[in-house]
Amino acid sequence: MKEKFYVTTAITYASGKPHIGNAYEVVLTDAIARFRRMQGYDVFFLTGTDEHGIKVQQKAEEAKITPKEYVDNITGEIKRIWDMFGATYDRFMRTTDDYHINAVSRIFTKLYMQGDIYKSVYEGNYCIPCESFWTDSQLVDGCCPDCGRPVTTASEESYYLRLSKYADKLVEYYNNNPDFITPVSRKNEMLNNFIKPGLQDLCVSRTSVKWGIPVEFDEGHVIYVWLDALSNYITAIGYDPDGSSELYKKLWPADLHVIGKDIVRFHTIYWPIILLALGEPLPKKVLGHPWLLMNNDKMSKSKGNLLYGDDLINLFGLDAVRYYLLSEMGYQNDGNITYDLIISRTNTDLANIFGNLVSRTAAMIKQYFGGVIPKAEIEDEFSRALKSSVREEAEKAYKFMDTYYFADAAEHIISLFKLCNKYIDDTTPWILAKDKENIKKLEAVLGNLTEGIRIGVTLFAPFMPSTAEKAAACFGFDDNALSVENIGNFIYSSYGKTVGDIPHLFGRIDKAAFDKQLKAKAEEAERIAEESKISIDDFAKVSLIVGKVLECEPVAKSDKLLKLTIDIGKEKRQVASGIAKYYKPEELINKKIILVENLKTAVLRGVKSQGMILASGGDDVDVKVVFIDDSVPAGTRVR
């Protein structure tokens, strides 16, 4: 019976289209899953989407659709991109799936009934983008320590999970399982920054958020996103407090959680404590991978520096992008991505070294032996050196992949192919072919090259599955030849087979031509954008006027809207504005603002709105109303 291997990604938050940094995690996990299958494991690969929370609720309100309609659209896009990257997941779960909702509801009730969840009032700091609570001491310059954005103050009745109750057991697990958190620097961070200073009990319900799983015994409370989201790793395989499935009993505990370094705290403190409270085994390992940066800067929609995976695949091809991600991202340090870097690595590693080796070798076999792959029956100093060096590089690459150091493994695979190219230069097969007495030497050279390619292609399969398949088809490598048991051994399994069509694996990218193409696309986009701009005459139609806020109150049954009464000199206007998350009513009364005066009247949540307040922000940046100096009279035109 095969040994199981249960591996998961963090589920992707369904608030918007994922960028290439998000896709890296799925590609890494897929490569791990493919490698474990090659090793003979019975692999179960879980991924999915986290679909509840305040950001989704706000996005849905902005789009004027229901939260479920919103996440259906976004989840469809996420799944499309994961499939485009060739992710071989066994299950794609959603936190809006009925089985998950029912199980999480029962988990919450179980923890409450046994005293591990209690009711209190939360007062403190809350980061909306990260959906995280922070104490004053944890803030960095008054901002969220994870994303660096401003926090808001929150005060509401909430339920709490008793983290402090299980702190000692968690540290004991750390000590007994030194490989639980990897790399080790992440463990030190958890101990020094969170556990040793004293764990604060975790808020696990909200009343100000409506889009979530209801607390079944307390109407008005919804289960906080982290208890909801983290539970997916067990609910997706059939966990239930009242009796779990056979699949759960087979797969749990997870062998590996693959997550970003920014959510290590949730997966190595909160998640283990939830499991301890439930009486369930803890995961065997949590891998907190680094970030992929764009031009050495964190990707952010507000910075306008996002790269999307589907766009990169369309530009460079799937396997070139997969290879870049896996070879660029080290185990501990952040990686970097730009078009120039992808071009450079594609041209060097994939076109010059790997692709060139495959095409040269296959072409020589066709030219010198009619396409029939020869066997190496003699040895010389070059072949002995090649075999020894290839074996050494293959074993190093294998060990790195076995411990999830894929970038380090890539270096050794490329070194293996470099050795094969050097072997060609050292043995000069084109010269050997001129003398019939050298036929055995020529056979040995091409037979050994075929074996070197086989070993390298076997190792490359988790990185670039379709490319490895094309190369294998060219030389007739079967499943046995591509088995990890044969890595490092020259077995000449393709002897006597006929080389197929020579695949064009990777061509060199002409950077000048690529830049020209990008420039043309940018100019076309600029032209289209210019055509969509309004003229000065159109802008003159917009009437902007200074107004003074006389009254302000929340709109009933809306977390987003405030109703304002505004004096604009000649009359008073009523406006419904979606700024309730950013301003309390008393903060706006008597303030001077700018109103778009001549908008058609709209009705929002039953409230008549006669204009729009000018404000900045949105998405991952807090909204800021544009205030006017109090000396400017209400009714003054803004020009």
Side-chain angles (χ1 to χ4, degrees):
M1 184 176 177
K2 290 183 178 181
E3 183 179 351
K4 67 90 177 176
F5 185 79
Y6 179 31
V7 61
T8 74
T9 69
I11 51 177
T12 305
Y13 195 44
S15 61
K17 181 178 178 179
H19 57 68
I20 189 62
N22 306 131
Y24 162 72
E25 183 172 301
V26 173
V27 173
L28 172 61
T29 309
D30 179 68
I32 291 169
R34 288 176 184 270
F35 182 66
R36 287 288 186 247
R37 292 190 194 104
M38 289 171 62
Q39 293 176 306
Y41 286 88
D42 181 8
V43 173
F44 193 94
F45 172 10
L46 175 71
T47 190
T49 42
D50 172 10
E51 302 183 9
H52 293 126
I54 190 169
K55 281 192 287 187
V56 166
Q57 181 177 308
Q58 290 173 346
K59 294 276 189 179
E61 288 175 356
E62 290 169 8
K64 295 182 171 54
I65 56 177
T66 67
K68 185 61 167 64
E69 289 172 328
Y70 183 84
V71 294
D72 283 348
N73 293 335
I74 298 298
T75 294
E77 180 71 356
I78 293 169
K79 193 171 186 296
R80 179 187 71 83
I81 294 172
W82 284 190
D83 291 343
M84 194 175 185
F85 270 100
T88 55
Y89 52 82
D90 295 280
R91 180 162 298 167
F92 189 102
M93 73 83 56
R94 302 177 58 183
T95 56
T96 53
D97 289 337
D98 288 342
Y99 69 83
H100 175 78
I101 291 172
N102 294 333
V104 169
S105 181
R106 286 192 285 273
I107 287 170
F108 192 96
T109 299
K110 173 183 172 66
L111 296 178
Y112 176 75
M113 295 299 292
Q114 67 189 35
D116 287 314
I117 286 178
Y118 63 94
K119 196 173 188 178
S120 185
V121 175
Y122 176 79
E123 291 184 353
N125 308 296
Y126 182 66
C127 177
I128 293 176
C130 295
E131 305 217 14
S132 302
F133 295 99
W134 300 99
T135 63
D136 288 341
S137 62
Q138 291 171 328
L139 299 180
V140 177
D141 296 328
C143 295
C144 171
D146 277 352
C147 70
R149 288 183 283 251
V151 295
T152 60
T153 56
S155 177
E156 63 181 89
E157 184 181 75
S158 303
Y159 284 91
Y160 282 79
L161 176 66
R162 297 185 192 275
L163 296 184
S164 51
K165 176 180 175 181
Y166 294 95
D168 291 342
K169 286 186 178 180
L170 181 62
V171 173
E172 181 182 355
Y173 188 78
Y174 282 9
N175 293 334
N176 293 336
N177 299 271
D179 295 329
F180 171 54
I181 306 174
T182 187
V184 69
S185 58
R186 313 275 189 247
K187 180 175 77 171
N188 296 335
E189 181 185 348
M190 296 303 106
L191 286 168
N192 295 329
N193 294 359
F194 297 102
I195 296 176
K196 288 181 180 179
L199 285 178
Q200 303 288 325
D201 289 349
L202 178 67
C203 178
V204 289
S205 82
R206 303 293 305 276
T207 55
S208 61
V209 181
K210 306 304 178 187
W211 178 237
I213 300 174
V215 174
E216 60 183 2
F217 55 83
D218 195 342
E219 185 178 354
H221 283 263
V222 300
I223 297 170
Y224 176 50
V225 64
W226 281 107
L227 179 62
D228 171 7
L230 289 166
S231 298
N232 92 90
Y233 303 124
I234 55 177
T235 64
I237 56 173
Y239 172 79
D240 192 300
D242 300 327
S244 300
S245 70
E246 290 303 313
L247 182 63
Y248 175 77
K249 295 172 185 176
K250 170 188 172 182
L251 294 177
W252 194 257
D255 295 274
L256 181 66
H257 288 321
V258 181
I259 61 165
K261 66 179 183 179
D262 53 325
I263 53 174
V264 168
R265 172 168 55 103
F266 302 99
H267 285 79
T268 60
I269 296 178
Y270 303 161
W271 177 226
I273 286 177
I274 291 169
L275 291 167
L276 287 170
L278 291 172
E280 297 297 319
L282 272 58
K284 295 179 182 179
K285 187 183 286 289
V286 177
L287 168 58
H289 64 76
W291 287 334
L292 184 64
L293 307 178
M294 170 64 173
N295 280 320
N296 294 307
D297 193 10
K298 185 179 179 182
M299 293 188 201
S300 167
K301 189 173 182 180
S302 62
K303 295 177 182 177
N305 66 344
L306 295 182
L307 287 178
Y308 293 104
D310 48 354
D311 293 335
L312 290 174
I313 290 172
N314 290 332
L315 285 171
F316 299 104
L318 170 60
D319 278 6
V321 177
R322 279 182 63 110
Y323 175 74
Y324 183 83
L325 294 175
L326 293 169
S327 61
E328 166 65 15
M329 292 289 285
Y331 205 65
Q332 300 195 56
N333 298 324
D334 293 336
N336 194 31
I337 189 168
T338 65
Y339 290 148
D340 287 353
L341 289 173
I342 297 174
I343 291 171
S344 176
R345 192 161 304 196
T346 300
N347 286 346
T348 302
D349 291 4
L350 301 183
N352 291 358
I353 298 172
F354 174 51
N356 191 38
L357 172 65
V358 169
S359 61
R360 287 173 78 189
T361 302
M364 286 190 289
I365 292 172
K366 287 201 171 194
Q367 181 180 351
Y368 303 141
F369 295 100
V372 179
I373 299 173
K375 184 178 182 180
E377 296 181 323
I378 63 171
E379 276 199 348
D380 59 17
E381 60 177 309
F382 295 123
S383 62
R384 283 190 291 272
L386 176 73
K387 290 179 182 180
S388 175
S389 298
V390 164
R391 185 178 297 112
E392 182 180 348
E393 294 296 338
E395 288 174 353
K396 287 179 179 177
Y398 182 91
K399 288 178 181 178
F400 276 125
M401 292 166 73
D402 195 41
T403 51
Y404 317 127
Y405 285 74
F406 274 77
D408 297 87
E411 289 185 18
H412 290 285
I413 299 170
I414 292 300
S415 292
L416 185 157
F417 290 132
K418 284 181 179 179
L419 289 167
C420 292
N421 281 317
K422 184 177 184 299
Y423 180 65
I424 294 174
D425 296 336
D426 290 340
T427 57
T428 59
W430 54 90
I431 296 177
L432 294 175
K434 294 178 180 180
D435 189 341
K436 290 183 179 180
E437 291 188 3
N438 291 325
I439 189 67
K440 288 297 181 182
K441 291 183 178 180
L442 184 60
E443 286 178 348
V445 169
L446 294 174
N448 288 330
L449 285 172
T450 301
E451 281 300 280
I453 291 170
R454 177 190 61 79
I455 293 169
V457 164
T458 302
L459 291 163
F460 249 168
F463 288 79
M464 302 184 295
S466 62
T467 296
E469 187 177 324
K470 290 176 185 176
C474 175
F475 294 98
F477 302 144
D478 57 22
D479 290 343
N480 179 63
L482 296 172
S483 168
V484 292
E485 282 77 15
N486 290 319
I487 288 175
N489 297 317
F490 279 56
I491 60 175
Y492 304 103
S493 61
S494 293
Y495 166 64
K497 293 182 179 180
T498 301
V499 170
D501 293 335
I502 301 175
H504 179 70
L505 299 180
F506 298 97
R508 281 187 58 82
I509 301 171
D510 185 328
K511 186 177 181 305
F514 181 85
D515 289 344
K516 185 177 180 181
Q517 179 187 5
L518 277 186
K519 183 179 179 182
K521 287 183 178 180
E523 289 174 348
E524 176 64 12
E526 186 177 347
R527 183 189 63 79
I528 294 172
E530 189 65 29
E531 290 177 354
S532 67
K533 292 178 180 177
I534 64 173
S535 68
I536 188 66
D537 292 334
D538 293 324
F539 179 72
K541 296 176 183 177
V542 179
S543 177
L544 302 176
I545 195 167
V546 175
K548 182 177 181 179
V549 180
L550 301 178
E551 300 173 5
C552 184
E553 63 183 34
V555 173
K557 299 181 180 180
S558 173
D559 295 324
K560 181 180 178 182
L561 294 175
L562 293 179
K563 183 175 72 172
L564 303 94
T565 301
I566 301 172
D567 176 12
I568 59 171
K570 60 184 178 183
E571 61 180 295
K572 296 176 183 177
R573 293 282 185 92
Q574 178 176 285
V575 173
S577 180
I579 55 175
K581 297 293 182 184
Y582 308 98
Y583 292 94
K584 296 176 181 178
E586 59 269 24
E587 293 176 326
L588 296 172
I589 293 174
N590 293 324
K591 291 290 178 66
K592 296 284 183 66
I593 52 86
I594 297 176
L595 184 73
V596 181
E597 176 195 16
N598 58 339
L599 282 181
K600 290 183 178 180
T601 299
V603 178
L604 305 176
R605 291 292 179 95
V607 175
K608 185 166 68 172
S609 184
Q610 302 167 298
M612 178 183 291
I613 293 173
L614 287 194
S616 63
D619 294 325
D620 57 354
V621 178
D622 283 354
V623 170
K624 298 292 184 183
V625 171
V626 177
F627 293 115
I628 295 295
D629 188 277
D630 193 52
S631 63
V632 181
T636 302
R637 295 285 172 187
V638 178
R639 304 183 188 279

